[in-house]
Amino acid sequence: MILIEPLTKFFVDGHVVKGEKVKQKVFGGFCTCGGVMYQKSWFREGNFYILVSECEKCWRNEAMAFNGSKNLISRDEVRVIDRTEMKKFLKELLSTSEYDALIARARDEEYNYNAFSRAKKKLEDIGLEVEEVMSYL
């Protein structure tokens, strides 16, 4: 499970779910370290709701999945991708030529159109919009 923080998207089971940021400091549970967790974002996937919270003490991020009747069904650690890690995440997701074409296109440089097209398709297949992703490169 990966939270793509600048886009407020959650990457789970090979696809991306769009979410909403929590704008206030709202209690989100207790961390395994004993600290208080605060809600960061909520996501909805079918009949499931996913809450991502962050610990104020150890900065651990956790996803808690709830079913339609608001019962907790799982709790897992989450990898967070922030602005500084966006390029690394894309390198893991795309081939070298696709990544290079995406970066070149974002910089308005000459790029390999076929590689960019493949990158765009891969991103769209998982639910990411290429223009939105490029705005963070």
Side-chain angles (χ1 to χ4, degrees), residues 33-88:
C33 78
V36 175
M37 298 190 86
Y38 291 102
Q39 297 180 17
K40 285 178 89 167
S41 305
W42 278 95
F43 303 88
R44 183 171 181 180
E45 175 68 15
N47 290 333
F48 296 99
Y49 296 90
I50 301 168
L51 166 64
V52 177
S53 296
E54 181 175 65
C55 178
E56 70 172 352
K57 189 175 177 183
C58 71
W59 303 104
R60 182 173 185 254
N61 286 267
E62 236 177 38
M64 292 176 254
F66 300 90
N67 63 14
S69 58
K70 307 285 194 252
N71 294 323
L72 179 66
I73 55 174
S74 72
R75 189 171 176 165
D76 299 294
E77 192 161 350
V78 173
R79 175 180 168 202
V80 177
I81 304 296
D82 61 14
R83 261 179 191 246
T84 61
E85 296 176 340
M86 186 67 95
K87 288 182 180 180
K88 182 180 175 186

Short mmCIF file of all heavy atoms in Angstrom, two decimals, residues 33-88:
data_model
loop_
_atom_site.label_atom_id
_atom_site.label_comp_id
_atom_site.label_asym_id
_atom_site.label_seq_id
_atom_site.Cartn_x
_atom_site.Cartn_y
_atom_site.Cartn_z
N CYS A 33 3.71 2.39 18.73
CA CYS A 33 4.75 2.97 19.59
C CYS A 33 4.13 3.66 20.82
O CYS A 33 4.85 4.10 21.71
CB CYS A 33 5.61 3.96 18.82
SG CYS A 33 4.85 5.57 18.57
N GLY A 34 2.82 3.77 20.86
CA GLY A 34 2.14 4.42 21.97
C GLY A 34 1.73 5.86 21.68
O GLY A 34 1.04 6.48 22.48
N GLY A 35 2.15 6.39 20.53
CA GLY A 35 1.79 7.75 20.16
C GLY A 35 0.38 7.87 19.63
O GLY A 35 -0.28 6.87 19.31
N VAL A 36 -0.08 9.09 19.53
CA VAL A 36 -1.40 9.38 18.98
C VAL A 36 -1.27 9.55 17.46
O VAL A 36 -0.35 10.22 16.99
CB VAL A 36 -2.00 10.65 19.61
CG1 VAL A 36 -3.31 11.03 18.96
CG2 VAL A 36 -2.19 10.45 21.11
N MET A 37 -2.19 8.96 16.73
CA MET A 37 -2.20 9.10 15.27
C MET A 37 -3.27 10.10 14.89
O MET A 37 -4.33 10.18 15.51
CB MET A 37 -2.45 7.75 14.60
CG MET A 37 -1.36 6.74 14.92
SD MET A 37 -1.47 5.26 13.93
CE MET A 37 -0.58 5.78 12.50
N TYR A 38 -2.96 10.88 13.87
CA TYR A 38 -3.91 11.85 13.34
C TYR A 38 -4.24 11.53 11.90
O TYR A 38 -3.38 11.11 11.13
CB TYR A 38 -3.35 13.27 13.46
CG TYR A 38 -3.27 13.72 14.89
CD1 TYR A 38 -2.07 13.71 15.56
CD2 TYR A 38 -4.41 14.12 15.57
CE1 TYR A 38 -2.00 14.10 16.90
CE2 TYR A 38 -4.35 14.50 16.90
CZ TYR A 38 -3.14 14.49 17.55
OH TYR A 38 -3.09 14.87 18.87
N GLN A 39 -5.50 11.71 11.53
CA GLN A 39 -5.98 11.40 10.19
C GLN A 39 -5.30 12.29 9.15
O GLN A 39 -5.16 13.49 9.36
CB GLN A 39 -7.49 11.59 10.11
CG GLN A 39 -8.26 10.68 11.01
CD GLN A 39 -9.76 10.88 10.91
OE1 GLN A 39 -10.26 11.47 9.96
NE2 GLN A 39 -10.48 10.38 11.90
N LYS A 40 -4.90 11.66 8.03
CA LYS A 40 -4.31 12.40 6.91
C LYS A 40 -5.27 12.45 5.73
O LYS A 40 -5.50 13.50 5.15
CB LYS A 40 -3.01 11.73 6.43
CG LYS A 40 -1.84 11.94 7.34
CD LYS A 40 -0.63 11.21 6.82
CE LYS A 40 0.14 12.09 5.88
NZ LYS A 40 1.47 11.54 5.58
N SER A 41 -5.81 11.26 5.36
CA SER A 41 -6.66 11.17 4.17
C SER A 41 -7.65 10.02 4.31
O SER A 41 -7.39 9.03 4.98
CB SER A 41 -5.80 10.90 2.92
OG SER A 41 -4.81 11.86 2.77
N TRP A 42 -8.78 10.19 3.61
CA TRP A 42 -9.80 9.14 3.51
C TRP A 42 -9.94 8.74 2.05
O TRP A 42 -9.92 9.59 1.16
CB TRP A 42 -11.15 9.64 4.01
CG TRP A 42 -11.32 9.58 5.49
CD1 TRP A 42 -11.10 10.59 6.37
CD2 TRP A 42 -11.76 8.46 6.26
NE1 TRP A 42 -11.37 10.17 7.65
CE2 TRP A 42 -11.78 8.87 7.61
CE3 TRP A 42 -12.12 7.16 5.94
CZ2 TRP A 42 -12.17 8.01 8.63
CZ3 TRP A 42 -12.51 6.30 6.98
CH2 TRP A 42 -12.53 6.73 8.29
N PHE A 43 -10.14 7.45 1.81
CA PHE A 43 -10.33 6.91 0.47
C PHE A 43 -11.51 5.96 0.48
O PHE A 43 -11.79 5.32 1.50
CB PHE A 43 -9.07 6.15 0.01
CG PHE A 43 -7.83 6.99 0.04
CD1 PHE A 43 -7.06 7.09 1.18
CD2 PHE A 43 -7.45 7.71 -1.07
CE1 PHE A 43 -5.94 7.89 1.22
CE2 PHE A 43 -6.32 8.52 -1.05
CZ PHE A 43 -5.57 8.59 0.11
N ARG A 44 -12.19 5.87 -0.65
CA ARG A 44 -13.31 4.93 -0.76
C ARG A 44 -13.06 4.02 -1.94
O ARG A 44 -12.82 4.47 -3.07
CB ARG A 44 -14.62 5.67 -0.95
CG ARG A 44 -15.77 4.69 -0.99
CD ARG A 44 -17.08 5.37 -0.96
NE ARG A 44 -18.11 4.34 -0.99
CZ ARG A 44 -19.37 4.58 -0.97
NH1 ARG A 44 -19.79 5.82 -0.89
NH2 ARG A 44 -20.23 3.61 -1.01
N GLU A 45 -13.12 2.72 -1.68
CA GLU A 45 -12.92 1.70 -2.70
C GLU A 45 -14.10 0.74 -2.62
O GLU A 45 -14.15 -0.13 -1.74
CB GLU A 45 -11.59 0.98 -2.46
CG GLU A 45 -11.32 -0.17 -3.37
CD GLU A 45 -11.09 0.22 -4.82
OE1 GLU A 45 -10.87 1.40 -5.11
OE2 GLU A 45 -11.15 -0.66 -5.68
N GLY A 46 -15.08 0.91 -3.51
CA GLY A 46 -16.28 0.09 -3.46
C GLY A 46 -17.03 0.33 -2.16
O GLY A 46 -17.37 1.45 -1.81
N ASN A 47 -17.26 -0.74 -1.38
CA ASN A 47 -17.93 -0.63 -0.09
C ASN A 47 -16.96 -0.44 1.07
O ASN A 47 -17.36 -0.49 2.23
CB ASN A 47 -18.79 -1.88 0.17
CG ASN A 47 -19.98 -1.92 -0.74
OD1 ASN A 47 -20.46 -0.89 -1.18
ND2 ASN A 47 -20.47 -3.11 -1.03
N PHE A 48 -15.68 -0.29 0.75
CA PHE A 48 -14.67 -0.14 1.79
C PHE A 48 -14.20 1.31 1.90
O PHE A 48 -14.13 2.03 0.92
CB PHE A 48 -13.46 -1.03 1.48
CG PHE A 48 -13.78 -2.48 1.50
CD1 PHE A 48 -14.01 -3.17 0.32
CD2 PHE A 48 -13.86 -3.18 2.70
CE1 PHE A 48 -14.32 -4.52 0.33
CE2 PHE A 48 -14.16 -4.53 2.72
CZ PHE A 48 -14.39 -5.20 1.53
N TYR A 49 -13.88 1.69 3.12
CA TYR A 49 -13.32 3.01 3.40
C TYR A 49 -11.92 2.79 3.95
O TYR A 49 -11.71 1.89 4.77
CB TYR A 49 -14.16 3.76 4.43
CG TYR A 49 -15.55 4.07 3.94
CD1 TYR A 49 -16.59 3.18 4.16
CD2 TYR A 49 -15.81 5.24 3.26
CE1 TYR A 49 -17.86 3.45 3.71
CE2 TYR A 49 -17.09 5.53 2.79
CZ TYR A 49 -18.10 4.62 3.02
OH TYR A 49 -19.37 4.89 2.57
N ILE A 50 -10.97 3.59 3.51
CA ILE A 50 -9.60 3.47 3.97
C ILE A 50 -9.18 4.80 4.59
O ILE A 50 -9.27 5.84 3.94
CB ILE A 50 -8.65 3.08 2.82
CG1 ILE A 50 -9.09 1.75 2.20
CG2 ILE A 50 -7.21 3.01 3.32
CD1 ILE A 50 -8.39 1.43 0.89
N LEU A 51 -8.73 4.74 5.82
CA LEU A 51 -8.24 5.90 6.53
C LEU A 51 -6.72 5.77 6.64
O LEU A 51 -6.22 4.75 7.09
CB LEU A 51 -8.84 5.97 7.94
CG LEU A 51 -8.17 6.94 8.92
CD1 LEU A 51 -8.31 8.39 8.45
CD2 LEU A 51 -8.75 6.75 10.31
N VAL A 52 -6.00 6.81 6.22
CA VAL A 52 -4.55 6.85 6.40
C VAL A 52 -4.27 7.85 7.50
O VAL A 52 -4.71 9.00 7.43
CB VAL A 52 -3.81 7.23 5.10
CG1 VAL A 52 -2.32 7.35 5.36
CG2 VAL A 52 -4.08 6.21 4.02
N SER A 53 -3.58 7.39 8.54
CA SER A 53 -3.23 8.22 9.69
C SER A 53 -1.72 8.22 9.89
O SER A 53 -1.04 7.28 9.50
CB SER A 53 -3.90 7.70 10.96
OG SER A 53 -5.30 7.78 10.86
N GLU A 54 -1.23 9.28 10.55
CA GLU A 54 0.20 9.41 10.82
C GLU A 54 0.42 9.63 12.31
O GLU A 54 -0.29 10.40 12.94
CB GLU A 54 0.76 10.59 10.03
CG GLU A 54 2.24 10.81 10.21
CD GLU A 54 2.75 11.92 9.31
OE1 GLU A 54 2.34 13.08 9.53
OE2 GLU A 54 3.53 11.63 8.40
N CYS A 55 1.43 8.95 12.86
CA CYS A 55 1.76 9.07 14.28
C CYS A 55 2.50 10.37 14.54
O CYS A 55 3.43 10.73 13.81
CB CYS A 55 2.62 7.89 14.72
SG CYS A 55 3.13 7.97 16.46
N GLU A 56 2.11 11.06 15.58
CA GLU A 56 2.76 12.32 15.94
C GLU A 56 4.13 12.09 16.57
O GLU A 56 4.96 12.99 16.62
CB GLU A 56 1.89 13.12 16.89
CG GLU A 56 1.79 12.51 18.28
CD GLU A 56 1.07 13.39 19.28
OE1 GLU A 56 0.78 14.55 18.97
OE2 GLU A 56 0.81 12.88 20.39
N LYS A 57 4.38 10.88 17.04
CA LYS A 57 5.60 10.57 17.76
C LYS A 57 6.68 9.97 16.85
O LYS A 57 7.80 10.45 16.81
CB LYS A 57 5.27 9.60 18.90
CG LYS A 57 6.36 9.33 19.87
CD LYS A 57 5.82 8.46 21.00
CE LYS A 57 6.91 8.08 21.99
NZ LYS A 57 6.37 7.18 23.02
N CYS A 58 6.35 8.92 16.11
CA CYS A 58 7.35 8.22 15.29
C CYS A 58 7.16 8.44 13.79
O CYS A 58 7.92 7.92 12.99
CB CYS A 58 7.35 6.73 15.60
SG CYS A 58 5.88 5.84 15.01
N TRP A 59 6.15 9.16 13.40
CA TRP A 59 5.83 9.51 12.00
C TRP A 59 5.45 8.31 11.14
O TRP A 59 5.47 8.38 9.92
CB TRP A 59 6.99 10.29 11.36
CG TRP A 59 7.30 11.53 12.12
CD1 TRP A 59 8.37 11.72 12.94
CD2 TRP A 59 6.54 12.73 12.18
NE1 TRP A 59 8.32 12.97 13.51
CE2 TRP A 59 7.20 13.61 13.06
CE3 TRP A 59 5.35 13.14 11.60
CZ2 TRP A 59 6.73 14.88 13.35
CZ3 TRP A 59 4.87 14.40 11.89
CH2 TRP A 59 5.57 15.25 12.75
N ARG A 60 5.11 7.20 11.77
CA ARG A 60 4.66 6.01 11.04
C ARG A 60 3.30 6.31 10.43
O ARG A 60 2.45 6.96 11.03
CB ARG A 60 4.56 4.86 12.03
CG ARG A 60 4.14 3.55 11.44
CD ARG A 60 4.24 2.45 12.53
NE ARG A 60 3.97 1.17 11.96
CZ ARG A 60 2.85 0.50 12.15
NH1 ARG A 60 1.90 1.00 12.92
NH2 ARG A 60 2.66 -0.66 11.59
N ASN A 61 3.07 5.80 9.21
CA ASN A 61 1.78 5.95 8.54
C ASN A 61 1.11 4.60 8.46
O ASN A 61 1.76 3.59 8.16
CB ASN A 61 1.97 6.52 7.13
CG ASN A 61 2.31 7.99 7.17
OD1 ASN A 61 1.44 8.82 7.09
ND2 ASN A 61 3.59 8.31 7.33
N GLU A 62 -0.19 4.60 8.70
CA GLU A 62 -0.96 3.37 8.71
C GLU A 62 -2.27 3.55 7.96
O GLU A 62 -2.87 4.62 8.00
CB GLU A 62 -1.30 3.02 10.17
CG GLU A 62 -0.84 1.68 10.58
CD GLU A 62 -1.14 1.42 12.05
OE1 GLU A 62 -2.20 1.82 12.56
OE2 GLU A 62 -0.28 0.80 12.67
N ALA A 63 -2.67 2.48 7.29
CA ALA A 63 -3.97 2.47 6.62
C ALA A 63 -4.88 1.54 7.41
O ALA A 63 -4.51 0.42 7.74
CB ALA A 63 -3.85 1.97 5.19
N MET A 64 -6.07 2.03 7.71
CA MET A 64 -7.08 1.22 8.37
C MET A 64 -8.26 1.09 7.42
O MET A 64 -8.81 2.10 6.98
CB MET A 64 -7.50 1.88 9.69
CG MET A 64 -6.40 1.86 10.72
SD MET A 64 -6.84 2.73 12.22
CE MET A 64 -5.83 4.19 12.00
N ALA A 65 -8.59 -0.14 7.11
CA ALA A 65 -9.70 -0.40 6.18
C ALA A 65 -10.95 -0.75 6.98
O ALA A 65 -10.90 -1.55 7.92
CB ALA A 65 -9.33 -1.52 5.23
N PHE A 66 -12.04 -0.14 6.59
CA PHE A 66 -13.33 -0.37 7.23
C PHE A 66 -14.31 -0.87 6.18
O PHE A 66 -14.29 -0.43 5.03
CB PHE A 66 -13.89 0.94 7.82
CG PHE A 66 -13.00 1.56 8.85
CD1 PHE A 66 -12.01 2.47 8.49
CD2 PHE A 66 -13.14 1.23 10.19
CE1 PHE A 66 -11.20 3.05 9.45
CE2 PHE A 66 -12.32 1.80 11.15
CZ PHE A 66 -11.35 2.71 10.77
N ASN A 67 -15.21 -1.78 6.59
CA ASN A 67 -16.24 -2.22 5.66
C ASN A 67 -17.40 -1.23 5.68
O ASN A 67 -17.36 -0.24 6.40
CB ASN A 67 -16.70 -3.66 5.97
CG ASN A 67 -17.34 -3.80 7.33
OD1 ASN A 67 -17.69 -2.83 7.98
ND2 ASN A 67 -17.49 -5.04 7.78
N GLY A 68 -18.43 -1.49 4.91
CA GLY A 68 -19.56 -0.58 4.78
C GLY A 68 -20.24 -0.24 6.09
O GLY A 68 -20.81 0.83 6.26
N SER A 69 -20.18 -1.15 7.07
CA SER A 69 -20.82 -0.87 8.37
C SER A 69 -19.82 -0.29 9.37
O SER A 69 -20.04 -0.32 10.56
CB SER A 69 -21.47 -2.15 8.92
OG SER A 69 -20.50 -3.17 9.05
N LYS A 70 -18.71 0.23 8.86
CA LYS A 70 -17.70 0.94 9.65
C LYS A 70 -16.93 0.07 10.65
O LYS A 70 -16.43 0.56 11.64
CB LYS A 70 -18.31 2.14 10.38
CG LYS A 70 -19.06 3.09 9.49
CD LYS A 70 -18.13 3.93 8.66
CE LYS A 70 -18.85 5.09 8.04
NZ LYS A 70 -19.08 5.08 6.68
N ASN A 71 -16.87 -1.25 10.39
CA ASN A 71 -16.09 -2.14 11.24
C ASN A 71 -14.68 -2.23 10.69
O ASN A 71 -14.48 -2.41 9.48
CB ASN A 71 -16.71 -3.54 11.29
CG ASN A 71 -18.05 -3.55 11.98
OD1 ASN A 71 -18.25 -2.81 12.95
ND2 ASN A 71 -18.97 -4.35 11.49
N LEU A 72 -13.68 -2.13 11.56
CA LEU A 72 -12.28 -2.23 11.16
C LEU A 72 -12.01 -3.65 10.69
O LEU A 72 -12.27 -4.61 11.41
CB LEU A 72 -11.37 -1.87 12.33
CG LEU A 72 -9.87 -1.94 12.07
CD1 LEU A 72 -9.44 -0.90 11.04
CD2 LEU A 72 -9.10 -1.76 13.36
N ILE A 73 -11.47 -3.78 9.47
CA ILE A 73 -11.18 -5.12 8.96
C ILE A 73 -9.69 -5.37 8.77
O ILE A 73 -9.25 -6.50 8.73
CB ILE A 73 -11.94 -5.43 7.65
CG1 ILE A 73 -11.68 -4.37 6.60
CG2 ILE A 73 -13.42 -5.58 7.92
CD1 ILE A 73 -12.27 -4.70 5.25
N SER A 74 -8.88 -4.30 8.64
CA SER A 74 -7.43 -4.49 8.56
C SER A 74 -6.71 -3.21 8.91
O SER A 74 -7.27 -2.11 8.83
CB SER A 74 -7.01 -4.96 7.16
OG SER A 74 -7.12 -3.93 6.22
N ARG A 75 -5.45 -3.39 9.29
CA ARG A 75 -4.61 -2.26 9.67
C ARG A 75 -3.21 -2.59 9.18
O ARG A 75 -2.62 -3.57 9.61
CB ARG A 75 -4.65 -2.10 11.18
CG ARG A 75 -4.01 -0.87 11.70
CD ARG A 75 -4.31 -0.72 13.18
NE ARG A 75 -3.59 0.44 13.69
CZ ARG A 75 -3.83 1.01 14.83
NH1 ARG A 75 -4.76 0.53 15.62
NH2 ARG A 75 -3.13 2.05 15.20
N ASP A 76 -2.68 -1.78 8.26
CA ASP A 76 -1.39 -2.06 7.65
C ASP A 76 -0.54 -0.81 7.56
O ASP A 76 -1.06 0.30 7.41
CB ASP A 76 -1.58 -2.61 6.22
CG ASP A 76 -2.37 -3.89 6.20
OD1 ASP A 76 -1.87 -4.89 6.72
OD2 ASP A 76 -3.51 -3.89 5.67
N GLU A 77 0.78 -1.01 7.60
CA GLU A 77 1.70 0.11 7.42
C GLU A 77 1.66 0.57 5.96
O GLU A 77 1.44 -0.22 5.05
CB GLU A 77 3.13 -0.29 7.80
CG GLU A 77 4.03 0.90 7.91
CD GLU A 77 5.30 0.63 8.70
OE1 GLU A 77 5.40 -0.43 9.32
OE2 GLU A 77 6.17 1.50 8.67
N VAL A 78 1.87 1.87 5.77
CA VAL A 78 1.77 2.48 4.45
C VAL A 78 3.10 3.14 4.09
O VAL A 78 3.71 3.82 4.91
CB VAL A 78 0.65 3.54 4.43
CG1 VAL A 78 0.63 4.31 3.13
CG2 VAL A 78 -0.69 2.90 4.69
N ARG A 79 3.52 2.95 2.85
CA ARG A 79 4.67 3.68 2.33
C ARG A 79 4.14 5.01 1.78
O ARG A 79 3.15 5.03 1.04
CB ARG A 79 5.33 2.88 1.21
CG ARG A 79 6.45 3.60 0.52
CD ARG A 79 7.04 2.75 -0.57
NE ARG A 79 7.92 3.53 -1.41
CZ ARG A 79 8.24 3.22 -2.64
NH1 ARG A 79 7.78 2.10 -3.18
NH2 ARG A 79 9.03 3.99 -3.34
N VAL A 80 4.79 6.10 2.15
CA VAL A 80 4.34 7.42 1.71
C VAL A 80 5.30 7.97 0.67
O VAL A 80 6.51 8.01 0.89
CB VAL A 80 4.24 8.40 2.90
CG1 VAL A 80 3.84 9.79 2.42
CG2 VAL A 80 3.23 7.89 3.91
N ILE A 81 4.75 8.37 -0.46
CA ILE A 81 5.51 9.01 -1.52
C ILE A 81 5.20 10.50 -1.44
O ILE A 81 4.07 10.91 -1.67
CB ILE A 81 5.10 8.48 -2.92
CG1 ILE A 81 5.23 6.98 -3.01
CG2 ILE A 81 5.88 9.19 -4.01
CD1 ILE A 81 6.62 6.44 -2.87
N ASP A 82 6.23 11.29 -1.09
CA ASP A 82 6.03 12.74 -1.08
C ASP A 82 6.65 13.32 -2.35
O ASP A 82 7.09 12.58 -3.22
CB ASP A 82 6.60 13.37 0.19
CG ASP A 82 8.09 13.17 0.36
OD1 ASP A 82 8.77 12.77 -0.60
OD2 ASP A 82 8.59 13.41 1.47
N ARG A 83 6.64 14.63 -2.46
CA ARG A 83 7.18 15.29 -3.66
C ARG A 83 8.60 14.86 -3.99
O ARG A 83 8.94 14.66 -5.14
CB ARG A 83 7.20 16.79 -3.45
CG ARG A 83 6.07 17.48 -4.05
CD ARG A 83 6.18 18.97 -3.75
NE ARG A 83 4.92 19.50 -4.14
CZ ARG A 83 4.76 20.33 -5.13
NH1 ARG A 83 5.76 20.81 -5.77
NH2 ARG A 83 3.56 20.72 -5.47
N THR A 84 9.42 14.72 -2.96
CA THR A 84 10.83 14.40 -3.19
C THR A 84 11.04 12.96 -3.67
O THR A 84 12.07 12.67 -4.25
CB THR A 84 11.66 14.61 -1.89
OG1 THR A 84 11.16 13.74 -0.88
CG2 THR A 84 11.58 16.05 -1.42
N GLU A 85 10.08 12.08 -3.43
CA GLU A 85 10.20 10.68 -3.83
C GLU A 85 9.39 10.34 -5.08
O GLU A 85 9.36 9.18 -5.49
CB GLU A 85 9.78 9.78 -2.68
CG GLU A 85 10.69 9.91 -1.48
CD GLU A 85 10.21 9.10 -0.30
OE1 GLU A 85 9.02 8.74 -0.25
OE2 GLU A 85 11.03 8.83 0.58
N MET A 86 8.75 11.33 -5.68
CA MET A 86 7.90 11.07 -6.85
C MET A 86 8.71 10.47 -8.01
O MET A 86 8.27 9.52 -8.64
CB MET A 86 7.19 12.35 -7.29
CG MET A 86 6.20 12.12 -8.40
SD MET A 86 4.79 11.14 -7.90
CE MET A 86 3.67 12.43 -7.51
N LYS A 87 9.88 11.01 -8.28
CA LYS A 87 10.70 10.49 -9.38
C LYS A 87 11.12 9.06 -9.12
O LYS A 87 11.09 8.22 -10.03
CB LYS A 87 11.92 11.38 -9.61
CG LYS A 87 11.58 12.71 -10.23
CD LYS A 87 12.83 13.53 -10.47
CE LYS A 87 12.48 14.87 -11.11
NZ LYS A 87 13.67 15.69 -11.35
N LYS A 88 11.52 8.75 -7.90
CA LYS A 88 11.92 7.39 -7.55
C LYS A 88 10.76 6.41 -7.75
O LYS A 88 10.93 5.32 -8.28
CB LYS A 88 12.40 7.35 -6.09
CG LYS A 88 12.88 6.01 -5.64
CD LYS A 88 13.33 6.05 -4.20
CE LYS A 88 13.69 4.65 -3.72
NZ LYS A 88 13.98 4.62 -2.30
#
